[in-house]
Amino acid sequence: MSAEERGAGGTTGADEPRITGSTPETVEVREPVSAPDADGRPRRATRRFPLFTRDTARPEGGGRAASGAAPAPARQWPMLAVLVTVGLGLLLTAFDAFRLGTLLVGVALLGGAVLRWLLPSVGMLAVRSRFTDIATYGLLGVVIVLLALMVQPEPWLEIPFLKDTLHFTVSG
């Protein structure tokens, strides 16, 4: 049904919202759930997610870690602490201290999980929900630390059943 058939300011029926105006620029929708489409026609109320979103909600705890008056690095200190520690670990790895460097990367991720758990606002360290961030940072940190401890030659940690499992699957 066109705008002329509906009439300026008229209704289109009981199940459609009332609109005023006859051009897409002047369409006013009285129901917030039925915003007009690109042609200016009101959409029916739906439970589907919109095709285009205007913004996204910040994750829980994603606010500044310091006041707004502080400089940007101070507001994002939890993220910077994790990044600097990971950078130092990568630098150690580049200088042939593979085990210590990788261990430092894992410890940085574990530290990120602890910061995410303890602090109410961690800035950009908050990517997802608090539970998901803690689980992701913690799991990756534990796996990297364990791999760093078990790296050959002369591992600092030996897990016997892993060696037996590898022997069984490769030479079986």
Side-chain angles (χ1 to χ4, degrees):
M1 186 177 272
S2 68
E4 292 82 11
E5 292 170 346
R6 286 191 302 258
T11 62
T12 60
D15 60 341
E16 293 187 22
R18 289 188 52 179
I19 60 169
T20 59
S22 61
T23 64
E25 292 82 20
T26 60
V27 171
E28 179 184 331
V29 179
R30 305 248 172 140
E31 295 178 21
V33 294
S34 58
D37 61 10
D39 297 327
R41 293 184 306 259
R43 295 185 185 144
R44 292 183 184 263
T46 179
R47 299 184 94 187
R48 292 187 205 159
F49 288 107
L51 185 59
F52 299 103
T53 56
R54 300 288 180 226
D55 60 355
T56 56
R58 194 176 358 191
E60 168 197 354
R64 297 180 177 128
S67 72
R75 290 191 307 258
Q76 298 298 332
W77 72 265
M79 181 69 163
L80 286 176
V82 172
L83 286 177
V84 166
T85 310
V86 167
L88 287 174
L90 293 175
L91 191 64
L92 282 173
T93 303
F95 288 122
D96 288 335
F98 179 77
R99 188 185 314 261
L100 290 177
T102 309
L103 195 60
L104 197 56
V105 169
V107 167
L109 287 172
L110 289 173
V114 169
L115 287 173
R116 187 69 172 102
W117 182 30
L118 294 178
L119 299 177
S121 294
V122 290
M124 292 190 326
L125 191 62
V127 179
R128 304 160 214 88
S129 70
R130 179 167 291 185
F131 173 79
T132 306
D133 282 343
I134 292 170
T136 304
Y137 295 145
L139 184 66
L140 288 174
V142 166
V143 167
I144 291 173
V145 165
L146 286 176
L147 289 174
L149 293 175
M150 293 187 305
V151 73
Q152 296 290 333
E154 301 174 13
W156 292 355
L157 175 67
E158 291 187 27
I159 302 177
F161 73 87
L162 288 180
K163 185 176 181 180
D164 294 340
T165 304
L166 181 64
H167 180 71
F168 177 72
T169 57
V170 173
S171 65

